[in-house]
C-alpha cells in the first residue's frame, strides 16, 4: 500500500505583508523614475568635472608626459594678467546683458499680460524667433549693425554729430555689442516664462487692487513681481550660469583673432581663455585650472544671486 504525500501548500500572503510590499514599491518607485537622470549626469557631468580637478594638478601634455605639479597651475593663474582680464570681460558682459534682459522681459511680460491684442498668441510666440535663430547668423547681423564704417548704429549717431565708434576695437564697445546680442537672443524666452506665470494669477486680484485705487505701477510692484518670485529666482540663476559661460558670441565677433577676441584681448572671456590655453596651446593642466576657477566663480555668483533674489517676498494681505 503506497501513501501519497501531497506537496506543501503555499502559505497565503497576509494582508499586512501585502501592505508592506506595496509600501516599499511606492517608496522606491520615485527613485527608480529619477535614477536615469542621475546616472547620465554622473557619467557625462560629474565624472568629467572630477577629472578636470584631477588634470588641474598636472602639467598635462595630451601626447606626452603627465607631471604632477600640485597647485602650481592655480598659483600661475593668480599671477596671470590675461586671466584677470578675461574674468573682468566675462563679468562685464554678463552684467550688461543679463540685468537689462531680465528687467525688459519682466516689464514686457506684465504689459502683454494686460494688453488686449488681436492675434495675441502669434505675437507672443513670435518672441521666440531670436531664441531659435542661429547664433552665427545673429553675430553676422549685429556685427554689421555695429560696424565702424557702414554700420546702422554709427550712421544714426552721425545724424546727431557723433563721430563713428569702432566698437570692436574698444573694450567697452565690444562688451556692449556682445551684450546686446546675448540680451536680444534671450529676452523673448525669458518674457514667455514670466508671461506664463503671470497668466496663472487670477484676474480678480488685479481687479480688486484697481478697485482699491492701486495703479499700474503698484499692481506691477505688489502683485506681479511677488507672484513671479519662483520664476525670477530660476531665471536669475540660469542667466548667471549661462552668462558666465559665454563663448560663441565673442568667438565669432572677430575674424582676425577669434580665440583672443581682438589683438588686445578686449572681449576675451574665461571660456575663450580656457579654450585658447587648452586646445590652442595644448596646456591641458593650465586650461583645467581655468575651468576650475570658472566653476568656483559661477557657484559663488549664482549662490549670491539666489540669496538676494529670495528676498523677494509675496505680499500678504
Amino acid at each position: 500500500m503506497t501513501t501519497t504525500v501531497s506537496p506543501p501548500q503555499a502559505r497565503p500572503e497576509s494582508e499586512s505583508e501585502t501592505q508592506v510590499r506595496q509600501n516599499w514599491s511606492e517608496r522606491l518607485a520615485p527613485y527608480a523614475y529619477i535614477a536615469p537622470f542621475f546616472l547620465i549626469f554622473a557619467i557625462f557631468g560629474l565624472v568629467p568635472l572630477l577629472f578636470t580637478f584631477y588634470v588641474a594638478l598636472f602639467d598635462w601634455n595630451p601626447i606626452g608626459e603627465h607631471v604632477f605639479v600640485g597647485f602650481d597651475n592655480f598659483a600661475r593663474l593668480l599671477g596671470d594678467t590675461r586671466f584677470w582680464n578675461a574674468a573682468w570681460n566675462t563679468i562685464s558682459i554678463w552684467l550688461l546683458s543679463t540685468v537689462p534682459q531680465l528687467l525688459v522681459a519682466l516689464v514686457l511680460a506684465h504689459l502683454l499680460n494686460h494688453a488686449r491684442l488681436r492675434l495675441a498668441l502669434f505675437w507672443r510666440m513670435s518672441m521666440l524667433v531670436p531664441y531659435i535663430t542661429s547664433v552665427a547668423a545673429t553675430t553676422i547681423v549685429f556685427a554689421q549693425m555695429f560696424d565702424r564704417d557702414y554700420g546702422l548704429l554709427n550712421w544714426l549717431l552721425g545724424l546727431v554729430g557723433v563721430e563713428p565708434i569702432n566698437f570692436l576695437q574698444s573694450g567697452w564697445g565690444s562688451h556692449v555689442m556682445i551684450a546686446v546680442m546675448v540680451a536680444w537672443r534671450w529676452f523673448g524666452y525669458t518674457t514667455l516664462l514670466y508671461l506664463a506665470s503671470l497668466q496663472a494669477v487670477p484676474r480678480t486680484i488685479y481687479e480688486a487692487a484697481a478697485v482699491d485705487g492701486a495703479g499700474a505701477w503698484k499692481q506691477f510692484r505688489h502683485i506681479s513681481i511677488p507672484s513671479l518670485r519662483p520664476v525670477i529666482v530660476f531665471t536669475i540663476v540660469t542667466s548667471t550660469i549661462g552668462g558666465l559661460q559665454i563663448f560663441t558670441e565673442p568667438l565669432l565677433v572677430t575674424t582676425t583673432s577669434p580665440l583672443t577676441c581682438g589683438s588686445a584681448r578686449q572681449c576675451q572671456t574665461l571660456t575663450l581663455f580656457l579654450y585658447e590655453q587648452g586646445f590652442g596651446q595644448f596646456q591641458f593642466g593650465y586650461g583645467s585650472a581655468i575651468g576650475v576657477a570658472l566653476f568656483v566663480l559661477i557657484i559663488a555668483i549664482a549662490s549670491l544671486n539666489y540669496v538676494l533674489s529670495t528676498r523677494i517676498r509675496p505680499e500678504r494681505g
Side-chain angles (χ1 to χ4, degrees), residues 1-24:
M1 180 177 181
T2 60
T3 304
T4 304
V5 179
S6 60
Q9 298 293 327
R11 184 175 63 87
E13 191 177 53
S14 64
E15 183 178 349
S16 61
E17 291 175 337
T18 304
Q19 185 66 29
V20 169
R21 183 164 56 83
Q22 291 178 350
N23 289 339
W24 273 105

Side-chain angles (χ1 to χ4, degrees), residues 211-269:
V211 171
D212 290 340
W217 167 248
K218 288 188 176 181
Q219 292 180 23
F220 174 71
R221 179 182 176 186
H222 297 287
I223 299 177
S224 297
I225 293 181
S227 300
L228 288 173
R229 177 176 172 269
V231 186
I232 291 175
V233 174
F234 170 77
T235 53
I236 288 177
V237 173
T238 54
S239 298
T240 299
I241 296 173
L244 294 176
Q245 292 179 329
I246 183 172
F247 176 80
T248 309
E249 287 85 353
L251 176 68
L252 298 177
V253 80
T254 177
T255 57
T256 55
S257 49
L259 290 184
T260 58
C261 195
S263 57
R265 300 177 182 267
Q266 61 267 23
C267 55
Q268 185 185 47
T269 59

Side-chain angles (χ1 to χ4, degrees), residues 66-83:
H66 306 157
V67 181
F68 180 78
V69 295
F71 293 97
D72 288 355
N73 284 324
F74 296 98
R76 174 188 171 189
L77 196 67
L78 295 177
D80 193 343
T81 57
R82 299 173 303 173
F83 168 75

Side-chain angles (χ1 to χ4, degrees), residues 129-143:
V129 172
Y131 177 71
I132 63 178
T133 303
S134 168
V135 180
T138 301
T139 304
I140 293 173
V141 171
F142 276 90

